[in-house]
Short mmCIF file of all heavy atoms in Angstrom, two decimals:
data_model
loop_
_atom_site.label_atom_id
_atom_site.label_comp_id
_atom_site.label_asym_id
_atom_site.label_seq_id
_atom_site.Cartn_x
_atom_site.Cartn_y
_atom_site.Cartn_z
N MET A 1 7.00 -18.11 13.36
CA MET A 1 6.65 -19.19 12.45
C MET A 1 6.89 -18.75 11.00
O MET A 1 6.04 -18.87 10.14
CB MET A 1 5.19 -19.59 12.63
CG MET A 1 4.84 -20.07 14.02
SD MET A 1 5.68 -21.60 14.44
CE MET A 1 4.59 -22.77 13.55
N GLY A 2 8.00 -18.15 10.75
CA GLY A 2 8.35 -17.81 9.38
C GLY A 2 7.77 -16.49 8.91
O GLY A 2 7.92 -16.14 7.76
N SER A 3 7.08 -15.78 9.79
CA SER A 3 6.55 -14.50 9.38
C SER A 3 7.64 -13.44 9.44
O SER A 3 8.10 -13.08 10.51
CB SER A 3 5.37 -14.11 10.28
OG SER A 3 4.88 -12.84 9.92
N GLU A 4 8.03 -12.95 8.29
CA GLU A 4 9.13 -12.01 8.24
C GLU A 4 8.65 -10.56 8.26
O GLU A 4 9.43 -9.65 8.33
CB GLU A 4 9.94 -12.22 6.97
CG GLU A 4 10.37 -13.66 6.79
CD GLU A 4 10.97 -13.87 5.42
OE1 GLU A 4 11.06 -12.90 4.66
OE2 GLU A 4 11.32 -15.01 5.11
N PHE A 5 7.34 -10.40 8.16
CA PHE A 5 6.81 -9.05 8.03
C PHE A 5 6.47 -8.47 9.40
O PHE A 5 6.10 -9.20 10.31
CB PHE A 5 5.57 -9.06 7.15
CG PHE A 5 5.85 -9.57 5.76
CD1 PHE A 5 5.12 -10.62 5.25
CD2 PHE A 5 6.85 -9.00 4.99
CE1 PHE A 5 5.37 -11.09 3.97
CE2 PHE A 5 7.12 -9.47 3.71
CZ PHE A 5 6.37 -10.52 3.21
N PRO A 6 6.58 -7.17 9.54
CA PRO A 6 6.24 -6.53 10.81
C PRO A 6 4.75 -6.66 11.10
O PRO A 6 3.92 -6.71 10.19
CB PRO A 6 6.65 -5.07 10.60
CG PRO A 6 6.71 -4.88 9.12
CD PRO A 6 7.07 -6.22 8.54
N ILE A 7 4.43 -6.71 12.37
CA ILE A 7 3.05 -6.82 12.78
C ILE A 7 2.36 -5.47 12.64
O ILE A 7 2.92 -4.43 12.98
CB ILE A 7 2.96 -7.29 14.24
CG1 ILE A 7 3.64 -8.65 14.39
CG2 ILE A 7 1.51 -7.36 14.71
CD1 ILE A 7 2.96 -9.76 13.64
N CYS A 8 1.13 -5.49 12.14
CA CYS A 8 0.34 -4.27 12.06
C CYS A 8 -0.15 -3.91 13.45
O CYS A 8 -0.81 -4.71 14.11
CB CYS A 8 -0.84 -4.46 11.11
SG CYS A 8 -1.97 -3.05 11.09
N LYS A 9 0.20 -2.74 13.89
CA LYS A 9 -0.20 -2.32 15.22
C LYS A 9 -1.49 -1.52 15.21
O LYS A 9 -1.94 -1.03 16.24
CB LYS A 9 0.91 -1.49 15.86
CG LYS A 9 2.17 -2.30 16.12
CD LYS A 9 3.22 -1.46 16.80
CE LYS A 9 4.41 -2.32 17.23
NZ LYS A 9 5.04 -3.02 16.12
N ALA A 10 -2.09 -1.39 14.05
CA ALA A 10 -3.30 -0.59 13.93
C ALA A 10 -4.56 -1.44 14.11
O ALA A 10 -5.65 -0.92 14.22
CB ALA A 10 -3.35 0.11 12.57
N CYS A 11 -4.41 -2.75 14.14
CA CYS A 11 -5.58 -3.60 14.27
C CYS A 11 -5.28 -4.75 15.22
O CYS A 11 -4.12 -5.03 15.53
CB CYS A 11 -6.03 -4.15 12.90
SG CYS A 11 -4.85 -5.28 12.15
N ASP A 12 -6.32 -5.41 15.65
CA ASP A 12 -6.17 -6.54 16.56
C ASP A 12 -6.36 -7.86 15.84
O ASP A 12 -6.69 -8.87 16.44
CB ASP A 12 -7.19 -6.43 17.70
CG ASP A 12 -6.92 -5.19 18.53
OD1 ASP A 12 -5.75 -4.86 18.73
OD2 ASP A 12 -7.89 -4.56 18.97
N ASN A 13 -6.20 -7.83 14.54
CA ASN A 13 -6.44 -9.02 13.74
C ASN A 13 -5.15 -9.76 13.40
O ASN A 13 -5.14 -10.62 12.53
CB ASN A 13 -7.15 -8.62 12.44
CG ASN A 13 -8.51 -8.00 12.72
OD1 ASN A 13 -9.27 -8.48 13.54
ND2 ASN A 13 -8.81 -6.90 12.06
N ASN A 14 -4.08 -9.40 14.11
CA ASN A 14 -2.80 -10.04 13.85
C ASN A 14 -2.38 -9.89 12.39
O ASN A 14 -1.79 -10.80 11.81
CB ASN A 14 -2.85 -11.53 14.22
CG ASN A 14 -3.05 -11.72 15.70
OD1 ASN A 14 -2.50 -10.98 16.50
ND2 ASN A 14 -3.84 -12.69 16.07
N GLY A 15 -2.73 -8.76 11.83
CA GLY A 15 -2.34 -8.51 10.44
C GLY A 15 -0.87 -8.22 10.33
O GLY A 15 -0.21 -7.81 11.28
N ASN A 16 -0.35 -8.49 9.15
CA ASN A 16 1.04 -8.17 8.87
C ASN A 16 1.09 -7.05 7.84
O ASN A 16 0.20 -6.90 7.02
CB ASN A 16 1.77 -9.40 8.31
CG ASN A 16 1.95 -10.47 9.36
OD1 ASN A 16 1.27 -11.48 9.33
ND2 ASN A 16 2.83 -10.24 10.30
N LEU A 17 2.15 -6.28 7.92
CA LEU A 17 2.35 -5.23 6.94
C LEU A 17 3.12 -5.82 5.76
O LEU A 17 4.23 -6.31 5.91
CB LEU A 17 3.11 -4.06 7.56
CG LEU A 17 2.34 -3.33 8.68
CD1 LEU A 17 3.22 -2.23 9.27
CD2 LEU A 17 1.05 -2.74 8.15
N LEU A 18 2.50 -5.76 4.61
CA LEU A 18 3.10 -6.35 3.43
C LEU A 18 3.77 -5.27 2.59
O LEU A 18 3.15 -4.24 2.30
CB LEU A 18 2.03 -7.05 2.59
CG LEU A 18 1.16 -8.05 3.34
CD1 LEU A 18 0.13 -8.65 2.39
CD2 LEU A 18 2.01 -9.15 3.95
N PRO A 19 5.02 -5.48 2.22
CA PRO A 19 5.72 -4.49 1.42
C PRO A 19 5.29 -4.53 -0.03
O PRO A 19 5.17 -5.59 -0.63
CB PRO A 19 7.19 -4.91 1.57
CG PRO A 19 7.15 -6.36 1.81
CD PRO A 19 5.85 -6.65 2.53
N LEU A 20 5.05 -3.36 -0.58
CA LEU A 20 4.69 -3.25 -1.99
C LEU A 20 5.77 -2.45 -2.71
O LEU A 20 6.35 -1.53 -2.16
CB LEU A 20 3.34 -2.56 -2.15
CG LEU A 20 2.16 -3.22 -1.45
CD1 LEU A 20 0.90 -2.41 -1.70
CD2 LEU A 20 1.98 -4.64 -1.94
N SER A 21 6.00 -2.84 -3.93
CA SER A 21 7.01 -2.13 -4.72
C SER A 21 6.34 -1.45 -5.91
O SER A 21 5.23 -1.78 -6.31
CB SER A 21 8.07 -3.12 -5.22
OG SER A 21 8.73 -3.71 -4.13
N ASP A 22 7.04 -0.49 -6.46
CA ASP A 22 6.51 0.24 -7.60
C ASP A 22 7.65 0.45 -8.59
O ASP A 22 8.79 0.11 -8.32
CB ASP A 22 5.93 1.58 -7.11
CG ASP A 22 4.99 2.18 -8.14
OD1 ASP A 22 4.84 1.58 -9.23
OD2 ASP A 22 4.42 3.23 -7.86
N PHE A 23 7.33 1.04 -9.70
CA PHE A 23 8.35 1.37 -10.67
C PHE A 23 8.37 2.87 -10.90
O PHE A 23 7.32 3.49 -11.02
CB PHE A 23 8.09 0.64 -12.00
CG PHE A 23 8.28 -0.84 -11.89
CD1 PHE A 23 7.20 -1.67 -11.61
CD2 PHE A 23 9.53 -1.41 -12.05
CE1 PHE A 23 7.37 -3.04 -11.51
CE2 PHE A 23 9.71 -2.77 -11.94
CZ PHE A 23 8.63 -3.59 -11.67
N GLY A 24 9.55 3.43 -10.94
CA GLY A 24 9.68 4.85 -11.13
C GLY A 24 9.43 5.24 -12.57
O GLY A 24 9.22 4.39 -13.45
N SER A 25 9.48 6.53 -12.83
CA SER A 25 9.21 7.03 -14.16
C SER A 25 10.26 6.53 -15.15
O SER A 25 10.01 6.46 -16.34
CB SER A 25 9.17 8.55 -14.15
OG SER A 25 10.40 9.06 -13.67
N GLN A 26 11.43 6.21 -14.64
CA GLN A 26 12.50 5.72 -15.51
C GLN A 26 12.44 4.20 -15.64
O GLN A 26 13.30 3.61 -16.28
CB GLN A 26 13.86 6.12 -14.92
CG GLN A 26 14.00 7.60 -14.68
CD GLN A 26 14.09 8.41 -15.97
OE1 GLN A 26 14.69 7.96 -16.92
NE2 GLN A 26 13.48 9.58 -15.99
N GLY A 27 11.46 3.61 -15.01
CA GLY A 27 11.34 2.16 -15.07
C GLY A 27 12.16 1.47 -14.01
O GLY A 27 12.21 0.24 -13.96
N ALA A 28 12.82 2.25 -13.16
CA ALA A 28 13.62 1.65 -12.10
C ALA A 28 12.70 1.19 -10.97
O ALA A 28 11.79 1.90 -10.58
CB ALA A 28 14.61 2.67 -11.57
N PRO A 29 12.95 -0.01 -10.48
CA PRO A 29 12.09 -0.52 -9.40
C PRO A 29 12.29 0.26 -8.10
O PRO A 29 13.40 0.62 -7.75
CB PRO A 29 12.53 -1.97 -9.24
CG PRO A 29 13.93 -2.00 -9.77
CD PRO A 29 13.99 -0.96 -10.85
N ILE A 30 11.20 0.52 -7.45
CA ILE A 30 11.23 1.17 -6.13
C ILE A 30 10.73 0.16 -5.12
O ILE A 30 9.53 -0.10 -5.04
CB ILE A 30 10.35 2.44 -6.11
CG1 ILE A 30 10.78 3.41 -7.22
CG2 ILE A 30 10.45 3.12 -4.74
CD1 ILE A 30 9.88 4.61 -7.35
N HIS A 31 11.67 -0.43 -4.38
CA HIS A 31 11.29 -1.49 -3.47
C HIS A 31 10.72 -0.91 -2.18
O HIS A 31 11.19 0.10 -1.68
CB HIS A 31 12.50 -2.36 -3.15
CG HIS A 31 13.01 -3.09 -4.36
ND1 HIS A 31 12.26 -4.04 -5.03
CD2 HIS A 31 14.18 -3.01 -5.03
CE1 HIS A 31 12.97 -4.51 -6.04
NE2 HIS A 31 14.13 -3.90 -6.08
N TYR A 32 9.74 -1.60 -1.68
CA TYR A 32 9.16 -1.25 -0.38
C TYR A 32 8.70 0.20 -0.36
O TYR A 32 8.92 0.93 0.59
CB TYR A 32 10.15 -1.51 0.76
CG TYR A 32 10.64 -2.93 0.81
CD1 TYR A 32 11.82 -3.26 1.45
CD2 TYR A 32 9.90 -3.94 0.20
CE1 TYR A 32 12.26 -4.57 1.50
CE2 TYR A 32 10.34 -5.24 0.24
CZ TYR A 32 11.52 -5.56 0.90
OH TYR A 32 11.95 -6.86 0.94
N LYS A 33 8.06 0.61 -1.40
CA LYS A 33 7.56 1.98 -1.48
C LYS A 33 6.38 2.16 -0.53
O LYS A 33 6.16 3.22 0.00
CB LYS A 33 7.14 2.29 -2.91
CG LYS A 33 6.60 3.69 -3.09
CD LYS A 33 6.19 3.91 -4.53
CE LYS A 33 5.64 5.33 -4.72
NZ LYS A 33 5.22 5.56 -6.12
N ALA A 34 5.62 1.09 -0.37
CA ALA A 34 4.44 1.19 0.48
C ALA A 34 4.29 -0.08 1.30
O ALA A 34 4.75 -1.16 0.91
CB ALA A 34 3.19 1.42 -0.38
N TRP A 35 3.65 0.06 2.45
CA TRP A 35 3.33 -1.09 3.28
C TRP A 35 1.83 -1.09 3.55
O TRP A 35 1.26 -0.05 3.89
CB TRP A 35 4.09 -1.02 4.61
CG TRP A 35 5.57 -1.11 4.45
CD1 TRP A 35 6.40 -0.12 4.03
CD2 TRP A 35 6.40 -2.25 4.70
NE1 TRP A 35 7.70 -0.58 4.01
CE2 TRP A 35 7.74 -1.88 4.42
CE3 TRP A 35 6.14 -3.55 5.16
CZ2 TRP A 35 8.80 -2.77 4.57
CZ3 TRP A 35 7.21 -4.43 5.31
CH2 TRP A 35 8.51 -4.04 5.02
N VAL A 36 1.22 -2.22 3.36
CA VAL A 36 -0.22 -2.31 3.53
C VAL A 36 -0.55 -3.48 4.44
O VAL A 36 0.06 -4.54 4.35
CB VAL A 36 -0.93 -2.51 2.17
CG1 VAL A 36 -2.43 -2.61 2.34
CG2 VAL A 36 -0.58 -1.36 1.22
N CYS A 37 -1.52 -3.27 5.32
CA CYS A 37 -1.94 -4.33 6.23
C CYS A 37 -2.58 -5.45 5.43
O CYS A 37 -3.30 -5.22 4.46
CB CYS A 37 -2.92 -3.78 7.26
SG CYS A 37 -3.48 -5.03 8.44
N SER A 38 -2.31 -6.68 5.87
CA SER A 38 -2.83 -7.84 5.16
C SER A 38 -4.30 -8.07 5.46
O SER A 38 -4.94 -8.91 4.84
CB SER A 38 -2.02 -9.08 5.52
OG SER A 38 -2.12 -9.34 6.92
N VAL A 39 -4.86 -7.33 6.43
CA VAL A 39 -6.27 -7.48 6.77
C VAL A 39 -7.07 -6.42 6.03
O VAL A 39 -6.93 -5.22 6.31
CB VAL A 39 -6.48 -7.34 8.29
CG1 VAL A 39 -7.95 -7.48 8.63
CG2 VAL A 39 -5.65 -8.38 9.03
N PRO A 40 -7.89 -6.84 5.07
CA PRO A 40 -8.62 -5.86 4.25
C PRO A 40 -9.49 -4.92 5.09
O PRO A 40 -9.61 -3.72 4.77
CB PRO A 40 -9.50 -6.74 3.34
CG PRO A 40 -8.79 -8.05 3.31
CD PRO A 40 -8.17 -8.20 4.67
N SER A 41 -10.10 -5.43 6.15
CA SER A 41 -10.99 -4.60 6.95
C SER A 41 -10.23 -3.56 7.74
O SER A 41 -10.79 -2.59 8.23
CB SER A 41 -11.82 -5.48 7.89
OG SER A 41 -10.97 -6.18 8.76
N CYS A 42 -8.92 -3.76 7.87
CA CYS A 42 -8.09 -2.79 8.57
C CYS A 42 -7.69 -1.68 7.60
O CYS A 42 -8.02 -0.52 7.80
CB CYS A 42 -6.86 -3.48 9.15
SG CYS A 42 -5.67 -2.33 9.88
N GLY A 43 -7.02 -2.08 6.56
CA GLY A 43 -6.69 -1.12 5.52
C GLY A 43 -5.58 -0.15 5.88
O GLY A 43 -5.33 0.80 5.15
N TYR A 44 -4.91 -0.41 6.99
CA TYR A 44 -3.81 0.48 7.37
C TYR A 44 -2.72 0.42 6.32
O TYR A 44 -2.34 -0.64 5.85
CB TYR A 44 -3.25 0.05 8.73
CG TYR A 44 -2.08 0.89 9.18
CD1 TYR A 44 -2.30 2.14 9.78
CD2 TYR A 44 -0.78 0.45 9.01
CE1 TYR A 44 -1.23 2.90 10.20
CE2 TYR A 44 0.29 1.21 9.43
CZ TYR A 44 0.07 2.44 10.03
OH TYR A 44 1.13 3.20 10.43
N ASN A 45 -2.27 1.58 5.92
CA ASN A 45 -1.20 1.60 4.92
C ASN A 45 -0.29 2.78 5.15
O ASN A 45 -0.69 3.81 5.69
CB ASN A 45 -1.79 1.63 3.50
CG ASN A 45 -2.56 2.91 3.23
OD1 ASN A 45 -1.99 3.91 2.79
ND2 ASN A 45 -3.86 2.90 3.51
N ILE A 46 0.93 2.61 4.75
CA ILE A 46 1.92 3.68 4.87
C ILE A 46 2.77 3.66 3.61
O ILE A 46 3.13 2.59 3.12
CB ILE A 46 2.77 3.51 6.14
CG1 ILE A 46 3.80 4.63 6.25
CG2 ILE A 46 3.45 2.16 6.18
CD1 ILE A 46 4.53 4.64 7.58
N LYS A 47 3.01 4.82 3.07
CA LYS A 47 3.76 4.85 1.83
C LYS A 47 4.66 6.06 1.79
O LYS A 47 4.47 7.04 2.52
CB LYS A 47 2.81 4.83 0.63
CG LYS A 47 1.95 6.06 0.51
CD LYS A 47 0.88 5.86 -0.55
CE LYS A 47 -0.17 4.84 -0.12
NZ LYS A 47 -1.35 4.83 -1.00
N ILE A 48 5.64 5.99 0.93
CA ILE A 48 6.61 7.07 0.81
C ILE A 48 6.51 7.66 -0.60
O ILE A 48 6.48 6.92 -1.58
CB ILE A 48 8.04 6.56 1.06
CG1 ILE A 48 8.14 5.98 2.47
CG2 ILE A 48 9.05 7.68 0.88
CD1 ILE A 48 9.48 5.31 2.74
N ARG A 49 6.40 8.96 -0.64
CA ARG A 49 6.34 9.62 -1.95
C ARG A 49 7.15 10.90 -1.87
O ARG A 49 6.87 11.79 -1.07
CB ARG A 49 4.89 9.92 -2.31
CG ARG A 49 4.74 10.50 -3.73
CD ARG A 49 3.31 10.98 -3.96
NE ARG A 49 2.35 9.91 -3.72
CZ ARG A 49 1.17 10.10 -3.16
NH1 ARG A 49 0.81 11.31 -2.77
NH2 ARG A 49 0.36 9.10 -2.96
N ASN A 50 8.14 11.00 -2.70
CA ASN A 50 9.00 12.18 -2.75
C ASN A 50 9.60 12.49 -1.38
O ASN A 50 9.73 13.65 -0.99
CB ASN A 50 8.21 13.40 -3.25
CG ASN A 50 7.75 13.21 -4.69
OD1 ASN A 50 8.43 12.56 -5.48
ND2 ASN A 50 6.61 13.76 -5.03
N GLY A 51 9.92 11.44 -0.65
CA GLY A 51 10.56 11.63 0.63
C GLY A 51 9.61 11.90 1.77
O GLY A 51 10.04 11.96 2.92
N ASP A 52 8.34 12.07 1.46
CA ASP A 52 7.35 12.28 2.52
C ASP A 52 6.64 10.98 2.81
O ASP A 52 6.42 10.16 1.92
CB ASP A 52 6.32 13.33 2.11
CG ASP A 52 6.95 14.71 1.97
OD1 ASP A 52 7.84 15.03 2.78
OD2 ASP A 52 6.56 15.45 1.05
N VAL A 53 6.25 10.82 4.06
CA VAL A 53 5.56 9.60 4.47
C VAL A 53 4.07 9.87 4.60
O VAL A 53 3.65 10.84 5.23
CB VAL A 53 6.12 9.10 5.82
CG1 VAL A 53 5.36 7.86 6.26
CG2 VAL A 53 7.60 8.80 5.70
N TYR A 54 3.29 9.03 3.98
CA TYR A 54 1.84 9.16 4.02
C TYR A 54 1.26 7.95 4.75
O TYR A 54 1.58 6.81 4.43
CB TYR A 54 1.25 9.24 2.62
CG TYR A 54 1.69 10.48 1.85
CD1 TYR A 54 2.93 10.51 1.21
CD2 TYR A 54 0.87 11.59 1.79
CE1 TYR A 54 3.33 11.64 0.52
CE2 TYR A 54 1.27 12.72 1.10
CZ TYR A 54 2.51 12.74 0.47
OH TYR A 54 2.91 13.85 -0.21
N ILE A 55 0.40 8.23 5.71
CA ILE A 55 -0.19 7.16 6.50
C ILE A 55 -1.70 7.13 6.27
O ILE A 55 -2.36 8.17 6.31
CB ILE A 55 0.11 7.35 7.99
CG1 ILE A 55 1.63 7.25 8.22
CG2 ILE A 55 -0.61 6.31 8.83
CD1 ILE A 55 2.04 7.49 9.66
N ASN A 56 -2.20 5.93 6.04
CA ASN A 56 -3.64 5.71 5.91
C ASN A 56 -4.27 6.54 4.82
O ASN A 56 -5.34 7.12 4.99
CB ASN A 56 -4.34 5.98 7.25
CG ASN A 56 -4.53 4.68 8.03
OD1 ASN A 56 -4.38 3.60 7.47
ND2 ASN A 56 -4.85 4.79 9.29
N GLU A 57 -3.62 6.58 3.68
CA GLU A 57 -4.29 7.17 2.53
C GLU A 57 -5.37 6.21 2.05
O GLU A 57 -5.26 5.00 2.22
CB GLU A 57 -3.28 7.40 1.40
CG GLU A 57 -2.49 8.68 1.52
CD GLU A 57 -1.83 9.02 0.20
OE1 GLU A 57 -1.49 8.10 -0.53
OE2 GLU A 57 -1.68 10.23 -0.07
N PRO A 58 -6.42 6.76 1.45
CA PRO A 58 -7.46 5.87 0.92
C PRO A 58 -6.89 4.93 -0.13
O PRO A 58 -6.07 5.35 -0.95
CB PRO A 58 -8.47 6.83 0.29
CG PRO A 58 -8.16 8.17 0.85
CD PRO A 58 -6.72 8.16 1.26
N ILE A 59 -7.32 3.70 -0.06
CA ILE A 59 -6.83 2.72 -1.03
C ILE A 59 -7.77 2.70 -2.22
O ILE A 59 -8.99 2.60 -2.06
CB ILE A 59 -6.77 1.32 -0.39
CG1 ILE A 59 -5.76 1.32 0.75
CG2 ILE A 59 -6.41 0.28 -1.43
CD1 ILE A 59 -5.69 -0.01 1.48
N SER A 60 -7.21 2.84 -3.39
CA SER A 60 -8.01 2.77 -4.60
C SER A 60 -7.61 1.53 -5.37
O SER A 60 -6.44 1.30 -5.62
CB SER A 60 -7.80 4.02 -5.45
OG SER A 60 -6.44 4.14 -5.81
N SER A 61 -8.59 0.75 -5.71
CA SER A 61 -8.31 -0.45 -6.46
C SER A 61 -8.27 -0.12 -7.95
O SER A 61 -8.81 0.89 -8.40
CB SER A 61 -9.38 -1.50 -6.21
OG SER A 61 -10.59 -1.12 -6.83
N GLY A 62 -7.60 -0.95 -8.69
CA GLY A 62 -7.50 -0.73 -10.12
C GLY A 62 -8.84 -0.81 -10.81
O GLY A 62 -9.01 -0.35 -11.94
N ASP A 63 -9.81 -1.39 -10.12
CA ASP A 63 -11.12 -1.57 -10.75
C ASP A 63 -11.87 -0.25 -10.88
O ASP A 63 -12.88 -0.17 -11.56
CB ASP A 63 -11.96 -2.54 -9.91
CG ASP A 63 -11.35 -3.94 -9.94
OD1 ASP A 63 -10.59 -4.22 -10.87
OD2 ASP A 63 -11.64 -4.72 -9.02
N SER A 64 -11.36 0.78 -10.17
CA SER A 64 -12.07 2.04 -10.21
C SER A 64 -11.90 2.74 -11.54
O SER A 64 -12.54 3.73 -11.82
CB SER A 64 -11.59 2.95 -9.08
OG SER A 64 -10.22 3.25 -9.26
N HIS A 65 -10.99 2.21 -12.35
CA HIS A 65 -10.75 2.81 -13.66
C HIS A 65 -11.80 2.30 -14.63
O HIS A 65 -11.61 1.31 -15.32
CB HIS A 65 -9.34 2.47 -14.15
CG HIS A 65 -8.96 3.20 -15.40
ND1 HIS A 65 -8.65 4.53 -15.42
CD2 HIS A 65 -8.86 2.78 -16.68
CE1 HIS A 65 -8.36 4.89 -16.66
NE2 HIS A 65 -8.48 3.85 -17.45
N VAL A 66 -12.92 2.97 -14.63
CA VAL A 66 -14.03 2.54 -15.47
C VAL A 66 -14.17 3.50 -16.64
O VAL A 66 -14.22 4.71 -16.45
CB VAL A 66 -15.34 2.52 -14.66
CG1 VAL A 66 -16.50 2.08 -15.54
CG2 VAL A 66 -15.20 1.58 -13.46
N PRO A 67 -14.20 2.96 -17.82
CA PRO A 67 -14.39 3.84 -18.98
C PRO A 67 -15.73 4.54 -18.95
O PRO A 67 -16.74 3.95 -18.60
CB PRO A 67 -14.30 2.87 -20.19
CG PRO A 67 -14.59 1.53 -19.62
CD PRO A 67 -14.09 1.57 -18.20
N ARG A 68 -15.71 5.80 -19.27
CA ARG A 68 -16.95 6.57 -19.22
C ARG A 68 -17.76 6.31 -20.47
O ARG A 68 -17.24 6.27 -21.57
CB ARG A 68 -16.63 8.06 -19.10
CG ARG A 68 -15.88 8.38 -17.83
CD ARG A 68 -15.54 9.85 -17.76
NE ARG A 68 -16.75 10.68 -17.71
CZ ARG A 68 -16.73 12.00 -17.54
NH1 ARG A 68 -15.58 12.62 -17.42
NH2 ARG A 68 -17.84 12.69 -17.50
N THR A 69 -19.00 6.13 -20.24
CA THR A 69 -19.90 5.90 -21.37
C THR A 69 -20.91 7.03 -21.45
O THR A 69 -21.34 7.57 -20.42
CB THR A 69 -20.66 4.57 -21.22
OG1 THR A 69 -21.37 4.57 -19.99
CG2 THR A 69 -19.69 3.40 -21.21
N ARG A 70 -21.22 7.38 -22.63
CA ARG A 70 -22.20 8.46 -22.81
C ARG A 70 -23.59 7.87 -22.86
O ARG A 70 -23.81 6.82 -23.41
CB ARG A 70 -21.92 9.21 -24.12
CG ARG A 70 -20.56 9.90 -24.09
CD ARG A 70 -20.32 10.68 -25.35
NE ARG A 70 -21.35 11.74 -25.52
CZ ARG A 70 -21.35 12.59 -26.54
NH1 ARG A 70 -20.44 12.52 -27.47
NH2 ARG A 70 -22.29 13.52 -26.63
N GLY A 71 -24.48 8.57 -22.27
CA GLY A 71 -25.83 8.05 -22.31
C GLY A 71 -26.66 8.89 -21.45
O GLY A 71 -27.70 8.64 -20.99
ZN1 ZN B 1 -4.03 -3.89 10.35
#
C-alpha cells in the first residue's frame, strides 16, 4: 500500500525503518546514514559511522541539550 520502507523486524508493531540523512563536516549531504524504527516504543535503529555499522545505539533527542545553570 505504498510503503516503500523496509519492515522493522525487531518489533511486532509493523513498524517501518525510516531513513535519516545527515550532513558531513564539509556540508555534503549523507543520505540514509541511519535507519530508525517508526515505532517510538521500539526504538530500533541502525546507523553507519566511518564505515562501521552501529545497531541499537541509545537515541538522544535534541532536547537533552539543556544549558547549565548555576545555583
Ligand atoms: Zn521496530
Side-chain angles (χ1 to χ4, degrees):
M1 300 294 281
S3 178
E4 308 171 2
F5 300 125
I7 300 295
C8 173
K9 294 183 172 59
C11 66
D12 296 323
N13 298 316
N14 294 322
N16 291 106
L17 295 177
L18 308 179
L20 302 180
S21 299
D22 198 358
F23 292 94
S25 58
Q26 305 290 323
I30 304 174
H31 295 296
Y32 303 159
K33 180 181 180 181
W35 295 77
V36 180
C37 181
S38 61
V39 179
S41 61
C42 174
Y44 178 81
N45 65 88
I46 180 171
K47 66 190 70 168
I48 300 173
R49 185 189 304 143
N50 295 328
D52 294 323
V53 178
Y54 296 82
I55 296 177
N56 264 347
E57 276 197 329
I59 297 177
S60 60
S61 71
D63 294 338
S64 63
H65 187 74
V66 179
R68 299 178 63 174
T69 57
R70 296 182 61 179

